[in-house]
Amino acid sequence: MPNANLTFSPFTTTVPGYPRVATGRVYKTLLEHFWNHRISVDDFQTGINDLVQERLQVQLSNQLDHIPVGDFSLYDHVLDTAIQFGCIPERFDHFKRGTALELYFAMARGKDGVPPLEMTKWFDTNYHYLVPEIPSAFYLHEAKALDQYQFAKEIIGERAKPVLLGPFSFLKLARLSDQDLVDRLQELVPLYCQVIQSLVEAGASYIQLDEPSLVTDISETESVAFQTAYHQIGKVTPVIIQTYFGDIARHYNWLKELPIGGLGVDFVRGKAANLTAIQSGFPSDKILVAGVVDGRNIWRSDLNETQALVKELAQYVSLERIVLSSSCSLLHLPETVSSEDKLPADVKSALCFAQERLGELRLLSNALQKGNDSVSEDWNLATKAFQAWQENQSRFIPDVQQRVESITDKDTSRLAYAQRRPFQDQALNLPPLPTTTIGSFPQTPELRKARTQRESSPEFYEQAIKNEIQKVVALQEDIGLDVLVHGEPERNDMVQFFGDQMQGFTTTEEGWVQSYGSRCVRPPIIYGDVARLQPMTVKELAYAQSLTQKPMKGMLTGPITILQWSFVREDIARSQVAYQIAIAIRGEVHDLEEAGLKIIQIDEAAFREGLPLRKGDWQAYSDWAIKAFRLATSGAKPTTQIHTHMCYSEFEDMIEAIAAMDADVISIEDARSDGALLETLKEFQYPLQIGPGVYDIHSPNVPTVEFIENKLQATLKRLSLNQVWVNPDCGLKTRKYEEMIPSLKNLVEAAKRVRACQKA
Ligand code: GLN
Ligand code: ZN
């Protein structure tokens, strides 16, 4: 018999998930110490239990009513789900004989030559999940959800809200589609029912099933399968379906008919469409989890406006059925602004990380419960801080805004490729199948150390960087590459390096966000108009060029990648911010040309992940993203060869956009794909030059000359000799010199052999 319908007191609060990392990156330290055998299994377990407890307590002390449990994970919650339901590929059989932790980390990170699960981006975030491999039969491998719930209940009691990744999204994330997904969903759902049953028996009432895939493009067949699944789950108990990252308007009519306890809806990303859906009527027996404060970005909410939104929702939903929430899990936010001592004071008071987000929910809940007339002091402080930032003029640079307004078509177009190509050929005088690398060279401990001394002993730092550049240039000459790079020794990170040198950016000290496993990133904050203060890369690159007769390729990061890997202001459109960054990069391109560089590469590693979750929205994005890239590059002289690099090969559906970027040369990842990309390029008659990566730098393997030769021969069957470049598939910073040198030697030798047979 299903539970009675859920109701709570009016305006309770929740979040779909909370950060794992914690102040001081306790999470990272624990994991890495364990992996490096610096702590025992027992100490690790104790450390993790303490951390989980502390995570719960932070939420409790912020008076959150329904606290997520099971969102915490030792690496990734998709992996947790996979293991729970027995999705353990055969290659890990051997590890099943060891401890659960051994199996878990083997699947996450690989072990003893057994490769881990593939990793990819979680929707359009910078969090990575492990792609489940779906076995021929599911089974319940462990009772993790129940264990976690019982552990949490001891600490936070009734507030504990079990969170599961829903079965539909789980299979979608495993990349099943249509009939396969339908079949497997039917098999998986009974196991979900068992898990949910166990949670109900243990006392859980609010059970959250995350189904973010509902905001992506799903087929008719899939939506029918979804409904069937939740009819079955509804027989156990009415769960809450949690969506985020977009609107669910297209599915609303059938979603609201499902036998579920309620629906979590994103009113930040999908605001207009979701609001219209709710205004069409909301079932009186369901909870609306209203995601009204932002889980993806770090700015304070406009509490007055948010309160008005909730009041609007309250016209359609009874008060005790409205739960106030963040738009998505707070996993994507740093922990707390209070750890930041060095941020400019005005920027700092405009910010809101995870803990502060909980504070906002509490303020909203209190204000809504009490009604308008009794606004608290905290409310006043928060709304004043918000207002002060709105009115703060110091972040605007009128020149920059004017420059963006005055962009014309001329600023975003170069002399036609066919016409500029001969100039470049003449200026560069390269052989057919030119060889090059993507930019970075192996990072050594000495280099990292030198970079930390940039401020304290600048002379030492500069000399160390120069030495490194010298070493890298000499090495490339020795190997016989045609187009050299400087190795990027001065860069800690391809985005932060530029952010640190531009106006409008700031960096946190402790603003860590989980990227994958123990790996955390500290995204720069773009708070104001962006301007380049001085040349950012010219010193190192001009020096590098001075060391060789061969062309040195100057390395820059492109506007979309900088945008995508930062926390971005919201008072102007993303496209405008992208144009501002593009103008800064354009200035740098100019300065590099002046300094004598003939080739400039503008990396757009994140171009693809910026694509909206639904195809219908792609065009609008590509339009401004391409414009930004072209704005950054089109100031270059016709003789200057513009390169770009992207870290993936799934171009089938975006090849037109790639061509429209009009980069003379693009290098891409293709070492692992089976020629699908090459076919696409051939069919499209890709007009520009391209270097499909000839070997995989993500593995320590050294490719043989024959391997690379074969790859090149296959490429030349589909592309013409004068458009193919020879390069690895990404930067070499994660490799060791012992692996890299023989690999590049083989690459150069393979290019020579193929050239020779083309002549013959
Ligand atoms: N130029 C960068 C490098 O070589 C590109 C890195 C990337 O694409 N992620 O490291
Ligand atoms: Zn790359």
Side-chain angles (χ1 to χ4, degrees), residues 150-436:
Q150 280 167 334
F151 178 85
K153 213 178 157 201
E154 293 291 312
I155 303 162
I156 52 171
E158 296 297 310
R159 290 178 193 241
K161 169 187 73 166
V163 174
L164 299 169
L165 174 57
F168 179 81
S169 297
F170 174 70
L171 294 178
K172 279 293 270 182
L173 291 163
R175 300 181 176 148
L176 297 195
S177 65
D178 287 337
Q179 199 50 49
D180 225 9
L181 184 135
V182 175
D183 295 344
R184 304 318 307 273
L185 191 58
Q186 270 176 15
E187 296 168 33
L188 183 55
V189 164
L191 299 183
Y192 264 82
C193 289
Q194 283 184 39
V195 172
I196 293 166
Q197 180 68 41
S198 72
L199 291 167
V200 172
E201 280 163 16
S205 52
Y206 181 163
I207 300 175
Q208 169 187 324
L209 266 71
D210 284 9
E211 290 289 8
S213 292
L214 278 181
V215 313
T216 65
D217 293 314
I218 64 173
S219 70
E220 188 56 34
T221 329
E222 289 172 333
S223 83
V224 172
F226 188 101
Q227 296 172 55
T228 312
Y230 278 88
H231 273 283
Q232 231 173 313
I233 292 172
K235 290 189 185 135
V236 181
T237 197
V239 298
I240 304 244
I241 294 182
Q242 180 68 47
T243 68
Y244 37 83
F245 301 153
D247 77 82
I248 46 159
R250 293 155 308 146
H251 311 307
Y252 184 67
N253 280 337
W254 57 259
L255 270 173
K256 68 177 192 214
E257 300 305 325
L258 292 176
I260 54 175
L263 206 51
V265 177
D266 185 338
F267 288 101
V268 175
R269 279 284 188 97
K271 184 171 173 184
N274 279 334
L275 183 58
T276 311
I278 304 298
Q279 285 165 335
S280 74
F282 191 79
S284 62
D285 62 343
K286 293 189 174 44
I287 301 278
L288 176 67
V289 182
V292 291
V293 296
D294 200 345
R296 287 286 292 274
N297 212 343
I298 52 166
W299 307 101
R300 275 181 190 277
S301 307
D302 182 344
L303 289 178
N304 287 310
E305 195 190 291
T306 312
Q307 189 183 30
L309 170 65
V310 179
K311 285 185 177 164
E312 171 66 20
L313 294 171
Q315 309 232 356
Y316 306 91
V317 190
S318 59
L319 308 190
E320 66 285 356
R321 290 209 161 85
I322 295 183
V323 175
L324 304 174
S325 170
S326 55
S327 59
C328 61
S329 168
L330 301 185
L331 182 69
H332 311 288
L333 300 185
E335 181 68 22
T336 173
V337 183
S338 66
S339 307
E340 303 300 327
D341 295 326
K342 298 204 177 124
L343 288 174
D346 53 349
V347 178
K348 182 174 170 180
S349 70
L351 299 179
C352 192
F353 295 173
Q355 285 186 23
E356 291 77 24
R357 218 37 113 206
L358 299 180
E360 287 193 339
L361 286 170
R362 192 179 63 237
L363 284 178
L364 279 166
S365 170
N366 289 342
L368 284 155
Q369 280 170 27
K370 285 187 195 136
N372 259 352
D373 359 331
S374 55
V375 182
S376 67
E377 198 173 320
D378 287 346
W379 176 278
N380 282 337
L381 285 174
T383 51
K384 267 196 195 129
F386 173 82
Q387 203 52 39
W389 183 244
Q390 298 309 299
E391 287 159 11
N392 182 319
Q393 293 296 313
S394 69
R395 68 189 195 278
F396 300 111
I397 311 173
D399 285 356
V400 171
Q401 300 200 337
Q402 265 160 29
R403 178 67 188 87
V404 168
E405 266 161 42
S406 68
I407 298 168
T408 62
D409 287 351
K410 236 178 107 202
D411 295 323
T412 56
S413 47
R414 301 183 74 193
L415 185 64
Y417 173 68
Q419 286 163 35
R420 63 185 195 252
R421 172 88 200 244
F423 291 121
Q424 293 170 16
D425 286 347
Q426 199 183 12
L428 296 168
N429 194 23
L430 293 167
L433 302 175
T435 54
T436 191

Side-chain angles (χ1 to χ4, degrees), residues 506-709:
T506 188
T507 322
T508 61
E509 283 171 283
E510 291 293 332
W512 298 102
V513 178
Q514 187 182 12
S515 175
Y516 61 89
S518 66
R519 171 80 173 253
C520 301
V521 293
R522 233 172 359 149
I525 297 172
I526 306 179
Y527 67 88
D529 290 338
V530 174
R532 195 174 64 121
L533 299 166
Q534 73 276 316
M536 303 182 282
T537 60
V538 174
K539 190 159 56 174
E540 290 83 5
L541 288 166
Y543 176 69
Q545 180 66 82
S546 77
L547 299 172
T548 177
Q549 297 298 315
K550 292 198 167 168
M552 175 60 56
K553 180 161 68 163
M555 287 295 149
L556 302 173
T557 302
I560 302 302
T561 302
I562 293 180
L563 186 77
Q564 200 61 31
W565 291 347
S566 301
F567 285 120
V568 184
R569 65 193 287 197
E570 292 179 335
D571 57 326
I572 62 175
R574 279 175 87 77
S575 56
Q576 300 298 303
V577 183
Y579 299 150
Q580 293 186 359
I581 303 169
I583 290 166
I585 300 295
R586 184 182 174 103
E588 191 72 12
V589 168
H590 174 81
D591 288 352
L592 288 176
E593 279 183 328
E594 294 288 294
L597 282 104
K598 298 194 179 84
I599 303 185
I600 298 167
Q601 175 170 309
I602 300 184
D603 288 326
E604 281 294 19
F607 195 87
R608 191 175 218 289
E609 76 186 54
L611 279 174
L613 295 175
R614 280 191 214 143
K615 278 208 171 144
D617 302 328
W618 281 20
Q619 191 62 46
Y621 164 80
S622 316
D623 286 350
W624 64 257
I626 293 167
K627 183 170 161 187
F629 182 83
R630 293 177 62 135
L631 182 59
T633 51
S634 297
K637 295 185 277 199
T639 44
T640 300
Q641 191 173 63
I642 296 291
H643 288 220
T644 188
H645 166 70
M646 294 186 186
C647 301
Y648 35 79
S649 61
E650 303 96 48
F651 282 136
E652 293 74 19
D653 39 19
M654 54 180 297
I655 187 83
E656 251 166 275
I658 303 293
M661 290 167 75
D662 198 29
D664 297 295
V665 183
I666 181 172
S667 59
I668 51 176
E669 204 167 271
D670 186 42
R672 280 176 291 188
S673 92
D674 48 6
L677 168 70
L678 294 175
E679 280 304 316
T680 308
L681 292 166
K682 180 184 166 189
E683 259 164 53
F684 181 78
Q685 301 188 314
Y686 189 76
L688 301 129
Q689 297 166 71
I690 185 159
V694 293
Y695 76 88
D696 177 13
I697 62 93
H698 306 86
S699 123
N701 289 345
V702 175
T704 63
V705 177
E706 291 70 28
F707 174 87
I708 300 174
E709 249 187 293

Side-chain angles (χ1 to χ4, degrees), residues 119-131 173 175 515 564-565 605-606 609:
M119 191 165 71
T120 194
K121 299 241 167 179
W122 173 250
F123 298 88
D124 57 353
T125 74
N126 203 12
Y127 174 81
H128 300 68
Y129 74 93
L130 292 160
V131 183
L173 291 163
R175 300 181 176 148
S515 175
Q564 200 61 31
W565 291 347
E609 76 186 54

